[in-house]
Amino acid sequence: MIALEAINVTKIYGTGANAITAVDDVSLSIKRGEFVGLVGPSGSGKTTMLAMLAGLLKPSRGQIVIAGKDIGRMSEGKRTKFRGRYIGFAFQANNLVPFLTAQENVDLLLRLNGKFNRQGRQRTLDLLERLGLSDRLQNRPGQLSGGQQQRIAIARALIHEPEVVLADEPTASLDTERAHQVVQTFAELIHEQNRAGVMVTHDLRMCKYVDRVIQMMDGKISRVITDAREISRLAGAADELDGGYVARTNGKPALAGDPMVAVQGI
Amino acid sequence: MSFYLAIKEVWRNKGRFLLIASVVALITTLVLFIAALAEGLASANREYIEKLNGELLVFQEGTQLSTTASRIGRGSIAELRRVKGIEAVGQVGFSTLKLVPPDGGEDINVSFIGVEPGMPGEPTVYDGQQLMRASSNNVIVDEGVVARLGVKVGDAIRLKVTQGTQEEFYDLTVGGLTDRRQYFFQPAVFAPILTWDKIRPGGDAGDPSADLVSNIAVVKLADPAQLETMKTAIEQNVKDVEVADRQRAWEAIPGYAAQQSTLTTQQFFTFFIGVLVVGGFFQIQTLQKVAQIGMLKAIGLSNWTVGWTAIIQIVTVNAIGVAIGAVGTLALTANFPVTVPILLTGTAALTTVLALLAIGPLGGIVSVFVLLRIEPLRALGMAQ
Ligand SMILES: Nc1ncnc2c1ncn2[C@@H]1O[C@H](COP(=O)(O)OP(=O)(O)O)[C@@H](O)[C@H]1O
Ligand SMILES: [Mg+2]
């Protein structure tokens, strides 16, 4: 069952001579229970794509359909409401509300959706236990490590049983071991709870946990990998390169932190 | 949701919000004190005139309603009494002299006011007796004198007058007590006009042949509604006089208007500072929270929710500050000695507090508009 669909989506920033086509006629669809990794070099259009999938940015052309609704046609207010109900988010930074406890941060999405009842609260406790945070319920983000914060963000992204879960570089501030833990649990939960997940990442090693890798280049999908063995080979190659840092590929300078370029050159 | 977030944030950042609330409290205290001072000074200046039992005050023409410059003789009084519509006329004379405390303390400056017994100008006593004869040694003292000397009805008081280079002492008896009737920042002693004329510096020392000259005459009208008509009638029928109602008379007291407008200006500026401080605080706080607000909007909180949260916080913090400041000031001013010209009347306190409650949050409203404009796209580190 298709949870999320992008149909011929284009995003052009600016006008006239300054126009930049950040996403160029991209189509993709993601089923429930499927976890997709969105990769590609800097400037390839990943963040722009994610912003459109999230209903944070209106496509210049094309449609984004989530739970059967074209979110590009919604008014600002409606889209905000829609995001709260149908989408779960884990961002790179500033994920959590600093003055709320771990538990309250997760409960926030229940309150927002009128699900802050006994059942809902129990789900929060269960989910945080599952993420190994049972003894951190009353701590505020400032008192927690980056890994713990990111796990709370994941709990918050899932607690309200959204249609789609979106993550933007969720491991950017974590060390390798923690990054693996976080993404592994994230993937497990997406599968268990049957959500459609999209994760934008620079770190190809994290692709190990996804079902499909979509690589973007110059605003277009340049490659799609669905074969599990091929995905783990890609992740393994990246692992050997510590995430895939290489200064040059094909004689052209690659931007720092652009593993895709590096791995492609292999 | 707004309420939940607003209260949680304030509660979990008590220190920071309490700091700004205490700044608001101090500003409230300052504004209330200025109001109390304005009221205190004003009444210390005008109390006697404000409470006069006559509607109009008659001054000598061309003296610009100055009680010290004006002279009204018996002739004018007689003319006044002939004007139709006037119920009673009383001569009133002002002077300043010293009251010598019996315990040997420092002399107290008092307004020594001569009035005609039973005529407008004489204050009503709450204890003891009204003045009896135009030349007795019984006087009425006001609360200010009572508070400073602790005198009772029947006590003797001693007045000191400097006539030229000579110091003279007069012993009088307190015949009655009246409420606060300060004039010219001084507590008041009321004597029968002839006694007054005898004692006051530069007086006639009891020369019976001289005309009894007072500073003003106080007129009680048969119909107080005819104020304007009677003013004109008096000025037309009595030679060389100028008539004012009580308010115009006290506003003409030297320095009165200037003092009040200075204090009003101060009050306005303090208000203004308060608005800026509250506004600045919330503005800075908002700018620090841009990323967090972007995230909240991205995960589905509406502009309404975010905006209301801020408004609730601004209003709450401002109100807490105003409450602390108001309670503190009331407690403080309640314990001030009567000698300090600080008077916080209920209406003045209430108006000031309401104004602070209403105006304080205005500065913060700017930050609400900033909040509303933050894009949810910020959550992804992007902006359009
Ligand atoms: N707000 C914007 N205005 C103009 N150009 C933008 C804006 N955001 C991104 N771009 C451009 O769009 C292209 C894609 O950017 P982005 O989606 O951030 O790629 P990625 O996330 O893969 O690095 C880049 O060329 C970038 O410079
Ligand atoms: Mg990006």
Side-chain angles (χ1 to χ4, degrees):
Chain A
M1 161 137 190
I2 289 175
L4 163 66
E5 197 170 15
I7 306 160
N8 303 112
V9 169
T10 296
K11 179 70 195 180
I12 302 167
Y13 290 114
T15 48
N18 297 323
I20 296 169
T21 306
V23 170
D24 191 1
D25 198 24
V26 168
S27 296
L28 57 83
S29 67
I30 302 171
K31 295 196 296 278
R32 281 201 179 158
E34 190 184 18
F35 189 23
V36 169
L38 192 58
V39 299
S42 254
S44 59
K46 305 183 295 293
T47 303
T48 302
M49 189 67 205
L50 192 76
M52 289 190 290
L53 294 178
L56 296 172
L57 193 62
K58 275 196 179 192
S60 307
R61 284 196 291 277
Q63 289 168 284
I64 306 285
V65 181
I66 295 174
K69 294 185 185 72
D70 181 355
I71 60 174
R73 287 198 201 289
M74 289 179 188
S75 68
E76 185 69 41
K78 265 198 155 167
R79 251 189 304 148
T80 305
K81 230 177 161 161
F82 186 88
R83 285 197 301 270
R85 169 70 193 85
Y86 289 95
I87 301 177
F89 286 101
F91 304 108
Q92 184 173 345
N94 293 304
N95 246 316
L96 303 174
V97 183
F99 55 83
L100 295 180
T101 64
Q103 189 178 359
E104 288 165 348
N105 261 287
V106 180
D107 282 341
L108 189 64
L109 267 283
L110 294 177
R111 288 178 187 273
L112 193 59
N113 288 295
K115 291 180 180 173
F116 187 63
N117 47 33
R118 183 128 54 90
Q119 274 175 310
R121 285 198 289 266
Q122 190 55 48
R123 277 215 319 281
T124 300
L125 294 175
D126 292 345
L127 191 52
L128 285 172
E129 186 180 1
R130 172 73 193 277
L131 288 157
L133 291 161
S134 287
D135 55 343
R136 289 281 180 265
L137 299 177
Q138 302 311 320
N139 287 94
R140 281 187 260 163
Q143 304 163 317
L144 300 170
S145 72
Q148 287 169 331
Q149 290 185 35
Q150 227 38 336
R151 277 182 277 157
I152 294 165
I154 284 167
R156 190 192 62 194
L158 291 160
I159 193 65
H160 56 304
E161 304 174 309
E163 187 83 4
V164 176
V165 184
L166 304 173
D168 178 41
E169 304 273 9
T171 61
S173 58
L174 305 181
D175 62 39
T176 311
E177 200 187 322
R178 293 237 164 70
H180 277 287
Q181 280 172 7
V182 165
V183 180
Q184 185 177 5
T185 325
F186 192 28
E188 281 170 19
L189 287 166
I190 283 171
H191 292 135
E192 277 168 31
Q193 301 189 357
N194 209 28
R195 312 281 166 234
V198 179
M199 172 176 69
V200 165
T201 185
H202 258 119
D203 190 343
L204 283 178
R205 293 171 299 180
M206 297 304 136
C207 289
K208 189 170 160 186
Y209 306 102
V210 306
D211 307 309
R212 177 160 44 135
V213 175
I214 296 178
Q215 185 208 313
M216 290 189 70
M217 190 75 88
D218 300 330
K220 289 183 187 301
I221 294 179
S222 61
R223 195 173 166 196
V224 177
I225 312 171
T226 43
D227 183 66
R229 273 170 311 167
E230 213 180 321
I231 290 174
S232 68
R233 219 179 56 223
L234 176 76
D239 213 10
E240 276 170 33
L241 291 163
D242 280 338
Y245 269 87
V246 162
R248 277 167 184 281
T249 10
N250 304 336
K252 279 193 275 178
L255 295 165
D258 266 351
M260 201 60 209
V261 182
V263 172
Q264 273 203 310
I266 291 168
Chain B
M1 185 63 126
S2 288
F3 199 73
Y4 169 77
L5 285 175
I7 298 308
K8 282 275 178 197
E9 183 167 18
V10 172
W11 189 247
R12 298 267 162 86
N13 293 293
K14 284 190 285 290
R16 183 151 37 102
F17 283 99
L18 205 60
L19 188 71
I20 188 67
S22 46
V23 173
V24 174
L26 288 176
I27 287 168
T28 305
T29 308
L30 195 54
V31 171
L32 281 174
F33 255 99
I34 295 173
L37 187 64
E39 191 61 31
L41 288 175
S43 64
N45 229 336
R46 71 179 193 218
E47 234 162 28
Y48 171 64
I49 291 181
E50 196 174 17
K51 292 178 179 173
L52 272 178
N53 51 346
E55 294 79 19
L56 293 174
L57 288 83
V58 181
F59 294 80
Q60 179 184 346
E61 194 171 25
T63 55
Q64 287 164 322
L65 308 184
S66 157
T67 52
T68 30
S70 167
R71 298 283 181 277
I72 298 286
R74 295 302 298 175
S76 304
I77 300 294
E79 283 181 53
L80 275 167
R81 289 196 168 130
R82 283 197 293 271
V83 177
K84 255 188 80 183
I86 288 181
E87 194 178 299
V89 180
Q91 266 190 300
V92 176
F94 300 94
S95 64
T96 290
L97 39 74
K98 290 187 191 315
L99 196 53
V100 185
D103 59 6
E106 235 180 281
D107 293 351
I108 300 161
N109 281 320
V110 292
S111 281
F112 185 54
I113 302 172
V115 297
E116 289 189 78
M119 291 296 168
E122 183 193 8
T124 315
V125 300
Y126 67 80
D127 189 13
Q129 289 184 320
Q130 296 296 134
L131 299 173
M132 294 307 226
R133 287 175 295 113
S135 64
S136 89
N137 275 347
N138 273 4
V139 293
I140 295 173
V141 299
D142 88 328
E143 280 281 301
V145 173
V146 174
R148 285 169 177 83
L149 285 187
V151 289
K152 303 184 301 294
V153 173
D155 286 356
I157 56 169
R158 167 167 285 201
L159 294 175
K160 182 165 94 180
V161 187
T162 312
Q163 297 276 20
T165 54
Q166 200 87 17
E167 278 187 352
E168 289 171 9
F169 292 93
Y170 294 91
D171 288 318
L172 301 169
T173 308
V174 176
L177 308 180
T178 186
D179 57 357
R180 283 167 60 123
R181 302 265 172 157
Q182 297 177 86
Y183 181 67
F184 229 85
F185 300 111
Q186 292 159 346
V189 174
F190 300 92
I193 188 95
L194 290 174
T195 311
W196 171 81
D197 197 41
K198 199 165 65 186
I199 295 175
R200 70 181 173 107
D204 293 322
D207 178 357
S209 64
D211 182 15
L212 180 59
V213 176
S214 65
N215 295 110
I216 61 164
V218 178
V219 168
K220 187 167 166 46
L221 300 176
D223 178 9
Q226 298 296 315
L227 203 73
E228 288 306 315
T229 332
M230 288 306 295
K231 234 159 95 174
T232 326
I234 293 171
E235 283 173 351
Q236 279 170 357
N237 292 305
V238 182
K239 277 198 307 289
D240 299 333
V241 296
E242 208 171 331
V243 184
D245 58 34
R246 287 191 299 245
Q247 182 165 353
R248 263 197 69 211
W250 80 60
E251 282 172 359
I253 296 172
Y256 180 90
Q259 188 185 66
Q260 291 298 306
S261 70
T262 307
L263 289 167
T264 310
T265 312
Q266 274 182 30
Q267 213 174 3
F268 172 78
F269 272 103
T270 318
F271 264 116
F272 190 63
I273 291 168
V275 171
L276 286 187
V277 168
V278 173
F281 171 79
F282 281 99
Q283 185 65 27
I284 290 167
Q285 179 148 297
T286 300
L287 294 178
Q288 284 175 338
K289 290 201 304 192
V290 169
Q292 181 193 318
I293 299 298
M295 180 272 289
L296 286 173
K297 289 186 180 181
I299 67 172
L301 272 76
S302 65
N303 257 341
W304 275 103
T305 308
V306 170
W308 273 117
T309 305
I311 291 173
I312 291 170
Q313 286 179 345
I314 293 165
V315 171
T316 309
V317 170
N318 183 65
I320 289 172
V322 171
I324 295 172
V327 170
T329 314
L330 287 176
L332 260 170
T333 49
N335 293 316
F336 265 176
V338 280
T339 45
V340 180
I342 287 271
L343 187 65
L344 200 54
T345 60
T347 16
L350 200 67
T351 341
T352 312
V353 164
L354 288 180
L356 280 165
L357 286 177
I359 295 169
L362 286 184
I365 297 306
V366 179
S367 67
V368 175
F369 284 106
V370 174
L371 280 177
L372 294 181
R373 279 216 296 273
I374 295 172
E375 289 179 55
L377 214 46
R378 290 263 182 189
L380 292 172
M382 296 172 83
Q384 263 183 304

